Amino acid sequence: MDISWQGWFTIAVVAATLAMLLWERFTPDRVLIAAAGALMVTGVLTPVEALSGFWNPGVLTVAVLFVLVAALRTTGAIRWIGDWMLGRSNSTARTQTRLIAISGPLSAFVNNTPIVATVTAAVEHWSRRSGVPPSHLLLPMNYATILGGMTTLLGTSTNLIVAGLVAAAGLPALGMFAPLGVGLAVMAAGFLYLLTVGGWLLPERQSVFQQAAGVHEYAVEMLVEADGPVSGKTIAGAGLRQLAGSYLVELHRKGHAYPAVSPDMRLQDADRLVFIGGTNAIAELRAIPGLRPATDQLFKLTGDGERKLVEVVLSAYNPAVGRTLVQCGFRRRYNAAVLAISRRGQRLHHKPGAVELQAGDTLLVETDDEFATRHGNSSDFLVVTEIGTPPRVDRRRATATLGILALMVLANTVLGVPILWSAVAAAAAVLVANCVGFRELRDSLDLRLITVIACSFALGAAIDKTGVADMVAGALGTWAKADPFWTLVFLYVVTVLFTELLTNNAAAVLMFPIGLAAAQQLGVDPMPFVMTVMIGASAGFMSPIGYQTNLMIYGPGGYRFTDYVRVGAPLSLVVGMAAMWAIPRFWPF
């Protein structure tokens, strides 16, 4: 099929977008804004077409649900459920079964992102208490939430976006439980795999805290001598920011601790400086005129005492990504000192300040008591976990939040209220009930994610308008020899491939017009193809970048990229076979 220059330009923009996202040099929101802008400036799309994603009902619903997510996190409702999931057993097999059996169905009604974020923290606390590696629990729990999210429109943002695309295409609106039949078949097959073969394939890894605690790394206290050479100098001026074997993390002055020391802070007589380094750190520090050991006792890095240790996972939107800690001013920005960095399941043994950070890196930081409060809902971090701190739950507000969520589901399923309006009512209710404050709401509203999703719609619109969708659909039909079932199979495989390379939401938006075009060319009902795109776009199991929650557990579980392939590839095959069996039965051609 011949296509115009607009079609070839659209293909080039999609290819460039894919390459830029894989390169990870720029944040996803900037890449997608540039792609939508290029399509609009060149006249491939009108401004209304390019920006239509911002008022799509699916995107608006995702935005409104951020209010409920903030309430679930702020009140501790998800922490409450997370503790219940883990139970009191120290048996790995029993705990795996509980996590899978509870987190899967729960994610059908609660977005899986807050579930994974909070249960990850609960699992890490439980793992330190029981001695069971978190890598035995986090990956199956994460996969279970993805599978459970496939069963309802509310379970994942991908389903909501596909529902919005269905409405925009003039097809009959999808109800809350439209994907339930297919989703249950896929979830059952996935759970069976996770509890048998998948459990056997799980690796044994250490979290970044365990890696940092397991090496001979010590905190060394030094005292600033009265009237010594460094007294009165700034931290940077005294040469304490460019040490070879250690780095300054804390300063004690007159009974007050400064956990993230600015390089411009001036030293005073009798200041006590805390450095983190190897066993040779004391020799390096003793060689600095004007400093002397505050004590002959060195103490290993632990989560006890006055220091507040927090584990965080960097999101793709964190300003530190692509830069070093020094370049981004990490200490000043977050009032936190980085003690250790883990990447792809392995602790980096370079000096933290010299490491160029990447999305998904897990950082062990020392900070003040309010760090988790300030940044727990921030889009800068995928996970924020306090080391050694028991979960805090406001039972009254947590109960109210869960009750409002239940009423929202009932309003949609029993009374037939559209999901967008029931979500708006629920969001208003949690605000009125003081289940979330405006500060927490502001911090949790991820405008950059909304921008990514909305700008992805421009790519989908261009693929449809320029005839690229018809061309790809024709190719799928040719490969399948015009057989609807095998066209469905090819569509599913391509959708999963886009999910692994891009993101789940971008894959859904790009593949939806191709699925519709394939159905039109074959002269069959489009709904089986819609369900194929919906399930395939959520089936991101084989890489940490295909699904946001995969990235969230990357560092805390100590996983490596190959772990996702080893456990996720067979799961992807199982899910695909189950989906291809179920879709034609629940949604016949």
Side-chain angles (χ1 to χ4, degrees):
M1 175 180 176
D2 294 330
I3 57 175
S4 62
W5 71 265
Q6 289 93 338
W8 289 113
F9 183 77
T10 298
I11 293 173
V13 169
V14 171
T17 300
L18 173 60
M20 295 297 288
L21 290 174
L22 291 175
W23 187 24
E24 295 184 342
R25 180 64 182 83
F26 301 99
T27 57
D29 54 323
R30 292 181 179 180
V31 174
L32 269 300
I33 288 173
L39 292 170
M40 185 168 57
V41 169
T42 55
V44 174
L45 296 177
T46 66
V48 172
E49 291 170 332
L51 302 176
S52 62
F54 285 96
W55 51 83
N56 181 275
V59 178
L60 293 175
T61 304
V62 172
V64 172
L65 287 176
F66 276 117
V67 181
L68 290 177
V69 170
L72 289 167
R73 285 178 170 171
T74 302
T75 62
I78 293 293
R79 296 191 188 102
W80 201 359
I81 295 171
D83 285 345
W84 173 61
M85 283 185 191
L86 289 166
R88 298 181 179 275
S89 172
N90 286 334
S91 165
T92 304
R94 288 181 182 177
T95 305
Q96 280 179 349
T97 303
R98 283 181 63 92
L99 278 175
I100 292 170
I102 298 173
S103 61
L106 179 64
S107 66
F109 303 101
V110 180
N111 187 279
N112 54 7
T113 300
I115 295 177
V116 171
T118 309
V119 175
T120 294
V123 165
E124 290 195 285
H125 290 302
W126 184 88
S127 296
R128 282 191 288 274
R129 187 181 72 244
S130 65
V132 175
S135 60
H136 285 179
L137 301 174
L138 291 178
L139 202 56
M141 178 273 296
N142 170 56
Y143 286 159
T145 63
I146 295 175
L147 293 167
M150 295 179 182
T151 58
T152 69
L153 292 191
L154 199 61
T156 172
S157 59
T158 303
N159 291 2
L160 289 171
I161 288 165
V162 172
L165 290 168
V166 166
L171 297 172
L174 296 177
M176 168 76 84
F177 294 106
L180 183 62
V182 177
L184 285 177
V186 168
M187 186 171 70
F191 281 13
L192 182 62
Y193 164 81
L194 290 173
L195 292 171
T196 53
V197 178
W200 178 67
L201 292 173
L202 287 170
E204 185 166 328
R205 308 282 189 218
Q206 289 184 319
S207 69
V208 64
F209 177 77
Q210 293 169 325
Q211 293 172 37
V215 298
H216 295 295
E217 189 156 86
Y218 296 87
V220 182
E221 289 197 32
M222 303 296 289
L223 195 67
V224 176
E225 294 179 340
D227 300 320
V230 299
S231 182
K233 290 186 177 180
T234 64
I235 298 294
L240 301 182
R241 292 299 302 275
Q242 303 296 330
L243 299 170
S246 59
Y247 44 96
L248 178 64
V249 296
E250 192 172 83
L251 182 149
H252 290 259
R253 176 179 294 166
K254 298 177 182 178
H256 184 74
Y258 299 86
V261 188
S262 166
D264 299 323
M265 191 173 190
R266 291 194 176 274
L267 296 170
Q268 297 181 9
D269 294 347
D271 280 350
R272 296 171 69 90
L273 307 177
V274 181
F275 297 85
I276 296 295
T279 52
N280 63 339
I282 187 68
E284 179 186 28
L285 294 170
R286 274 180 169 167
I288 299 175
L291 293 183
R292 63 179 176 82
T295 174
D296 291 332
Q297 299 297 319
L298 305 180
F299 52 91
K300 273 194 175 183
L301 181 64
T302 69
D304 303 322
E306 296 178 358
R307 296 165 179 79
K308 174 70 70 176
L309 297 181
V310 179
E311 190 175 79
V312 299
V313 179
L314 299 184
S315 77
Y317 305 107
N318 193 295
V321 171
R323 305 160 74 187
T324 66
L325 296 171
V326 175
Q327 289 171 342
C328 71
F330 193 93
R331 290 190 188 215
R332 183 178 63 257
R333 181 185 296 269
Y334 299 111
N335 192 38
V338 177
L339 308 183
I341 302 173
S342 177
R343 177 177 297 163
R344 299 187 181 95
Q346 295 180 315
R347 182 172 179 268
L348 302 182
H349 293 282
H350 307 290
K351 189 177 178 181
V355 175
E356 185 175 297
L357 299 170
Q358 297 178 7
D361 282 354
T362 302
L363 279 54
L364 181 66
V365 303
E366 183 180 36
T367 183
D368 59 272
D369 288 339
E370 298 301 315
F371 182 91
T373 302
R374 290 196 307 271
H375 303 293
N377 289 321
S378 171
S379 60
D380 286 357
F381 304 107
L382 295 173
V383 179
V384 176
T385 304
E386 294 182 341
I387 303 296
T389 303
R392 292 170 291 186
V393 178
D394 185 329
R395 291 182 177 271
R396 183 188 64 81
R397 295 197 302 158
T399 303
T401 300
L402 292 173
I404 291 169
L405 179 64
L407 289 174
M408 181 189 75
V409 174
L410 287 174
N412 181 262
T413 54
V414 178
L415 302 179
V417 179
I419 291 180
L420 176 58
W421 298 118
S422 60
V424 169
V430 294
L431 286 170
V432 171
N434 198 31
C435 295
V436 61
F438 283 99
R439 174 185 169 182
E440 292 89 355
L441 178 59
R442 180 196 62 207
D443 292 340
S444 66
L445 186 58
D446 195 345
L447 294 177
R448 289 173 293 192
L449 176 60
I450 297 299
T451 300
V452 167
I453 297 172
C455 289
S456 297
F457 274 68
L459 295 179
I463 287 174
D464 187 29
K465 182 179 179 180
T466 60
V468 174
D470 290 327
M471 183 182 70
V472 176
L476 292 178
T478 301
W479 296 339
K481 296 182 179 179
D483 183 290
F485 175 77
W486 285 108
T487 304
L488 212 64
V489 172
F490 284 124
L491 179 68
Y492 180 84
V493 171
V494 176
T495 304
V496 171
L497 180 62
F498 270 101
T499 297
E500 299 292 359
L501 294 177
L502 291 167
T503 64
N504 51 331
N505 294 326
V509 173
L510 288 175
M511 295 306 298
F512 181 83
I514 295 173
L516 284 190
Q520 290 170 359
Q521 290 179 16
L522 294 170
V524 297
D525 189 341
M527 290 313 299
F529 296 83
V530 170
M531 286 296 138
T532 298
V533 171
M534 184 180 285
I535 298 297
S538 292
F541 304 113
M542 294 186 287
S543 82
I545 64 171
Y547 208 94
Q548 178 169 283
T549 56
N550 290 357
L551 194 60
M552 292 170 68
I553 63 165
Y554 199 8
Y559 296 114
R560 299 173 187 172
F561 192 96
T562 53
D563 295 332
Y564 288 86
V565 177
R566 183 171 66 174
V567 183
L571 176 59
S572 187
L573 180 61
V574 168
V575 167
M577 293 173 64
M580 292 301 96
W581 174 85
I583 290 173
R585 283 161 177 78
F586 289 96
W587 298 90
F589 296 110

